[in-house]
Amino acid sequence: MSVRRLGARDAERRNEALALTRRHRPDVVLLHIQMPGLDGLTAVARLRQEPTTVGVIMLTTFGQDEYITRVFEEGADGFLLKADDPRELLNGVRAVGAGGAYLSPRVASRVIAGMRAHRTAHPHRSLDRLTQRERDVLAGLAAGLSNAEIAARLHLVEGTVKAHVSAVLTKLGARNRVEAAVAAHEAGLTPPRRG
């Protein structure tokens, strides 16, 4: 897996985040929300406009709810706090590099609490529109599995899993894997079993 962290002290390289990503084609890019020049939120949005499958993790000291929401609205795959246990960085890079999503445990708790509060005010998404296979894939997403891991558990090829993930997101009206996972948790779906 190829990971490239753009230099925290080199403003010129930060401004070239997109060019470096195009040139080096890493599997995962770590960005900070507030960088001089091209900030992390803008960088994520621009990366998502490009024909690239690079995973993007926001590694930051800013854990406010509005930042968390914006990061995922712009298309990031992970959100980690610099104050987290360093092992979380490795876990996040591995998960995102394998096609999954990752949240710092502290951030995940807040996201789930916020979603539960939102559910009280608004009915949760119905899973009735999903096929059984899509429910199985969604349960895998909720367990934090990558597309490859879901494929192995369900005896599918990874491309088929990607197609099911897209269908699940569309049918649920979810913007990303994290929102879909929260919907699965709310519905009580359990991870697909091996074999």
Side-chain angles (χ1 to χ4, degrees), residues 48-121:
R48 290 303 173 234
Q49 294 171 357
E50 306 223 346
T52 178
T53 57
V54 65
V56 178
I57 297 176
M58 200 61 66
L59 177 64
T60 184
T61 55
F62 303 99
Q64 292 92 339
D65 291 347
E66 62 271 14
Y67 283 125
I68 297 167
T69 301
R70 283 278 316 279
V71 162
F72 289 110
E73 285 176 348
E74 297 299 345
D77 304 294
F79 193 102
L80 294 167
L81 298 172
K82 288 184 177 180
D84 285 337
D85 183 317
R87 290 173 290 197
E88 293 304 327
L89 176 61
L90 295 174
N91 293 337
V93 168
R94 287 182 186 122
V96 170
Y102 198 84
L103 289 173
S104 156
R106 289 189 295 173
V107 172
S109 308
R110 289 174 48 198
V111 168
I112 290 171
M115 291 294 212
R116 286 181 180 148
H118 179 75
R119 181 181 63 180
T120 309

Side-chain angles (χ1 to χ4, degrees), residues 173-194:
R175 292 174 291 193
N176 52 49
R177 294 169 72 103
V178 174
E179 283 189 8
V182 170
H185 282 290
E186 289 176 347
L189 286 182
T190 56
R193 291 185 210 144
R194 286 195 184 276

Side-chain angles (χ1 to χ4, degrees), residues 13-180:
R13 287 184 70 196
R14 280 192 297 267
N15 289 327
E16 295 177 10
L18 299 176
L20 286 169
T21 300
R22 285 184 208 113
R23 186 177 324 134
H24 295 287
R25 295 183 173 190
D27 295 311
V28 177
V29 174
L30 303 176
L31 297 172
H32 193 280
I33 287 177
Q34 294 185 349
M35 302 185 300
L38 183 67
D39 68 84
L41 293 168
T42 303
V44 173
R46 289 189 185 167
L47 280 170
R48 290 303 173 234
Q49 294 171 357
E50 306 223 346
T52 178
T53 57
V54 65
V56 178
I57 297 176
M58 200 61 66
L59 177 64
T60 184
T61 55
F62 303 99
Q64 292 92 339
D65 291 347
E66 62 271 14
Y67 283 125
I68 297 167
T69 301
R70 283 278 316 279
V71 162
F72 289 110
E73 285 176 348
E74 297 299 345
D77 304 294
F79 193 102
L80 294 167
L81 298 172
K82 288 184 177 180
D84 285 337
D85 183 317
R87 290 173 290 197
E88 293 304 327
L89 176 61
L90 295 174
N91 293 337
V93 168
R94 287 182 186 122
V96 170
Y102 198 84
L103 289 173
S104 156
R106 289 189 295 173
V107 172
S109 308
R110 289 174 48 198
V111 168
I112 290 171
M115 291 294 212
R116 286 181 180 148
H118 179 75
R119 181 181 63 180
T120 309
H122 308 283
H124 69 81
R125 296 176 174 96
S126 171
L127 305 186
D128 295 340
R129 299 179 59 203
L130 301 182
T131 66
Q132 185 56 50
R133 183 56 83 192
E134 289 166 347
R135 285 173 181 255
D136 292 341
V137 169
L138 177 58
L141 289 177
L145 301 178
S146 68
N147 288 348
E149 291 169 325
I150 295 169
R153 287 194 184 199
L154 299 177
H155 304 289
L156 298 171
V157 295
E158 195 170 346
T160 301
V161 171
K162 286 181 183 178
H164 284 309
V165 169
S166 293
V168 166
L169 294 179
T170 299
K171 288 181 179 181
L172 293 180
R175 292 174 291 193
N176 52 49
R177 294 169 72 103
V178 174
E179 283 189 8

